[in-house]
Amino acid sequence: MRKFEDSVYDLIVETSTNLPGDVRRAIAAGRALEDKDTRSGLALATIAQNIGMAELQVSPICQDTGMPTFVIHTPIGVNQLEMKRDIRQAVVRATRDGKLRPNSVDSLTGGNSGDNLGEGTPVIHFEQWEEEHVDVRLILKGGGCENKNIQYSLPAELEGLGKAGRDLDGIRKCILHAVYQAQGQGCSAGFIGVGIGGDRTSGYELAKKQLFRKADDMNPIPELLELENYIMENANKLGIGTMGFGGEVTLLGCKVGVMNRLPASFFVSVAYNCWAFRRQGVLIDTATGDIREWLYERGSGITVGAVAAKTPPDMDTPEAENSGERAVQPAAAESSAAVGADTAGGAREIRLTTPISEEDIRRLRVGDVVILSGEMHTGRDALHKYLIDHESPVDLSGAVIYHCGPVMLKDEEGWHVKAAGPTTSIREEPYQGDIIKKFGIRAVIGKGGMGAGTLQALHDHGGVYLNAIGGAAQYYAECIKKVNGVDFLEFGIPEAMWHLTIDGFAAIVTMDSHGNSLHADVEKDSASKLALFREAVFK
């Protein structure tokens, strides 16, 4: 199969940059249910635009391209060792070309291989079958949603839902709880795959395999079809909403599979996937290695709303009202702070230029849409750990820290940002409050919110948490105008501290300096709604 490596490379590029048609239709259906004048409506509008931008630019939809996971069926007699070598080489090429972010990290040293190769990466599962062609399927599942996977061992006592037994009703409770515990940290609205039975390993594998099903298929097992429909109807009543902002659309798809189990074990495994549901597959000719057929409808030409424009309209113009778009890209502010008119949904639009004063920060309230310009610095796990015991290489007084591990490429002109959406912020909770206090940081940007320690530090030292739209890597990359420099490149590209000039970077205040947290409010509200399903019975 001389062309097999090229075919795998094409599969990787398509999966990373172009959402399949079934996923796009699910997002469009969800968007139709959400009021466009709400925070979740704004998020879905930005998501829709980002999907179109990624396709147009052939760039990653989300900067976290996950751990490439291949499931491959081969005829008897095909050399799987050669196929594995070709797959690894295709992964290296895709990483070098900026279609994959280098995500393979040594678990002991913390070193990044830089090419997505390492012990256990990429993940490749081979199975033989009696067909004459090769079936290759790929899923790119980012770390934010991977961290929200969860496994239950029944019987169990579940928060808000009480006892979950070894029956369909207990399984129902587990799935609802899985959606609740994810909140906005898995980039909702999302998709879930559920595996019933097996052991701890095979249960998770079964759950992930459900994610390869098409979003609009029908489960052949009547009991599971009924369960899937029940979850889709009722999980969206929890009010978690897109990005955890509250709203009507929390779940876009639910697929359930079942296998036998040990008498002593009853596992329910849930694989959570964000809205950027990147999976694709191809049938390969065993003689040549050419692609014979794409297994999922390719997304080109299937819109999720108004996604053609590269930049969204200004909120304050009639065009914005007519288009339904609420993603914001206003001109750079001339002063350090400028307050625009209220949006149609009642939220204020406020423009800030870094460095930001404490006075400007104290004026902000949860729900404000902030438009940032100036310099911003990225920082993730490795940097936060470092800054606890060391000084910063740059002055962070009045600065903005962005929880982001971008996709970066370097040429003779320097570094360029290829994708730059937010990462899940809660991982930095052990460090964030101390770093805000130590360096005088005024704003932290990420997704999913942070905890009580950070909220207290924002109150005490004058800061805000800004929630960017998870997965919108192309939308935010457009706002980055220049790479000013980089520190700690030895941490790896995702973990390095990138210094970036931004213009028109839009995010929503979800934790302010007055002790208010939208994330805490939504979680409390969804917990009360979850409890309403405690006594419901599913048989």
Side-chain angles (χ1 to χ4, degrees):
M1 294 193 294
R2 292 176 293 103
K3 296 184 179 179
F4 181 68
E5 180 189 318
D6 290 337
S7 294
V8 174
Y9 176 85
D10 290 344
L11 172 62
I12 294 170
V13 173
E14 178 74 9
T15 308
S16 177
T17 65
N18 196 5
L19 280 187
D22 64 323
V23 175
R24 291 181 181 227
R25 281 189 290 272
I27 295 173
R31 189 179 177 193
L33 297 174
E34 198 68 70
D35 183 345
K36 68 180 179 64
D37 291 330
T38 63
R39 286 180 289 262
S40 288
L42 165 64
L44 285 166
T46 306
I47 285 168
Q49 181 166 1
N50 186 78
I51 292 169
M53 293 172 70
E55 179 185 1
L56 180 66
Q57 299 168 10
V58 196
S59 289
I61 297 164
C62 173
Q63 79 289 339
D64 186 355
T65 54
M67 183 177 290
T69 301
F70 295 86
V71 177
I72 306 171
H73 287 80
T74 64
I76 296 171
V78 170
N79 190 325
Q80 295 180 357
L81 294 177
E82 288 185 0
M83 292 178 67
K84 181 178 284 190
R85 283 193 292 268
D86 286 346
I87 290 169
R88 289 168 62 88
Q89 186 56 39
V91 166
V92 171
R93 286 173 55 192
T95 306
R96 181 190 64 214
D97 293 346
K99 311 306 180 184
L100 295 176
R101 188 179 70 181
N103 274 351
S104 182
V105 176
D106 187 301
S107 297
L108 299 182
T109 68
N112 192 311
S113 70
D115 59 6
N116 271 310
L117 300 186
E119 188 65 35
T121 57
V123 177
I124 305 173
H125 298 288
F126 281 107
E127 294 183 26
Q128 286 188 330
W129 64 354
E130 295 184 346
E131 301 289 337
E132 295 182 354
H133 51 263
V134 175
D135 181 311
V136 183
R137 306 198 185 211
L138 169 64
I139 189 167
L140 301 176
K141 188 171 181 294
C145 59
E146 183 71 9
N147 289 343
K148 301 315 295 185
N149 293 352
I150 191 168
Q151 189 174 69
Y152 302 88
S153 179
L154 298 182
E157 184 78 21
L158 301 180
E159 176 189 4
L161 292 169
K163 290 183 174 58
R166 293 183 164 190
D167 53 21
L168 278 170
D169 191 59
I171 295 165
R172 168 191 73 92
K173 289 183 176 180
C174 289
I175 301 173
L176 285 173
H177 184 269
V179 175
Y180 161 75
Q181 62 88 35
Q183 291 291 314
Q185 294 176 20
C187 285
S188 60
F191 300 78
I192 55 173
V194 182
I196 302 169
D199 60 19
R200 287 200 180 273
T201 300
S202 62
Y204 264 132
E205 288 180 347
L206 176 63
K208 283 194 173 183
K209 283 184 177 179
Q210 300 310 300
L211 297 175
F212 283 104
R213 288 171 52 191
K214 294 181 179 179
D216 51 3
D217 75 358
M218 302 285 284
N219 199 310
I221 302 175
E223 297 90 340
L224 298 187
L225 175 61
E226 185 179 356
L227 179 60
E228 291 172 355
N229 291 336
Y230 174 92
I231 295 297
M232 285 301 300
E233 177 184 354
N234 292 291
N236 285 320
K237 294 178 181 178
L238 297 178
I240 296 168
T242 303
M243 297 296 129
F245 290 163
E248 304 300 320
V249 185
T250 301
L251 196 62
L252 297 169
C254 173
K255 302 298 176 184
V256 185
V258 64
M259 60 171 53
N260 284 13
R261 60 178 177 84
L262 291 166
S265 303
F266 197 122
F267 298 113
V268 178
S269 310
V270 181
Y272 188 95
N273 205 97
C274 59
W275 68 262
F277 188 9
R278 294 157 292 170
R279 53 102 169 92
Q280 184 55 268
V282 289
L283 295 183
I284 299 289
D285 188 295
T286 53
T288 66
D290 282 315
I291 295 174
R292 289 173 44 185
E293 180 183 340
W294 292 89
L295 296 176
Y296 301 89
E297 183 182 4
R298 300 174 77 182
S300 181
I302 302 173
T303 63
V304 192
V307 298
K310 290 187 65 175
T311 55
D314 192 299
M315 272 188 179
D316 298 332
T317 65
E319 289 83 357
E321 294 298 319
N322 294 335
S323 72
E325 296 293 332
R326 299 293 305 286
V328 189
Q329 188 85 14
E334 295 180 359
S335 60
S336 64
V339 180
D342 286 0
T343 68
R348 298 185 301 167
E349 177 189 316
I350 299 174
R351 304 176 187 184
L352 297 173
T353 300
T354 63
I356 308 171
S357 70
E358 181 176 352
E359 181 182 10
D360 287 338
I361 287 295
R362 296 286 185 188
R363 293 173 181 166
L364 299 177
R365 296 289 190 277
V366 164
D368 290 340
V369 176
V370 175
I371 315 300
L372 286 170
S373 297
E375 187 171 52
M376 176 173 70
H377 313 278
T378 68
R380 287 170 41 114
D381 308 68
L383 180 69
H384 280 71
K385 183 176 184 295
Y386 176 89
L387 290 180
I388 287 292
D389 299 318
H390 302 84
E391 291 304 311
S392 170
V394 297
D395 184 7
L396 294 178
S397 178
V400 173
I401 287 288
Y402 185 23
H403 294 164
C404 172
V407 177
M408 307 291 294
L409 287 183
K410 189 176 185 181
D411 59 20
E412 62 277 2
E413 297 179 357
W415 287 101
H416 303 277
V417 180
K418 305 304 293 182
T423 193
T424 305
S425 295
I426 196 64
R427 301 195 311 273
E428 317 313 338
E429 180 65 18
Y431 311 108
Q432 198 68 76
D434 291 335
I435 289 175
I436 289 170
K437 177 181 178 181
K438 181 177 179 179
F439 295 103
I441 292 167
R442 291 291 171 221
V444 175
I445 305 176
K447 67 180 174 77
M450 303 193 74
T454 297
L455 185 62
Q456 187 64 50
L458 297 175
H459 174 272
D460 293 345
H461 306 292
V464 292
Y465 178 84
L466 301 173
N467 205 120
I469 308 305
Q474 294 307 309
Y475 173 76
Y476 288 116
E478 284 277 303
C479 302
I480 299 171
K481 306 306 178 183
K482 182 182 177 183
V483 178
N484 300 328
V486 60
D487 285 294
F488 310 114
L489 198 53
E490 63 270 23
F491 293 165
I493 285 176
E495 298 286 348
M497 187 182 195
W498 297 94
H499 312 297
L500 310 170
T501 295
I502 59 172
D503 186 22
F505 190 107
I508 298 173
V509 178
T510 53
M511 298 170 68
D512 63 26
S513 62
H514 309 285
N516 303 306
S517 170
L518 174 67
H519 308 283
D521 293 343
V522 170
E523 183 170 2
K524 181 179 179 181
D525 179 65
S526 60
S528 66
K529 292 175 179 175
L530 181 70
L532 298 177
F533 295 98
R534 180 186 182 103
E535 302 303 327
V537 177
F538 185 88
K539 296 182 179 179

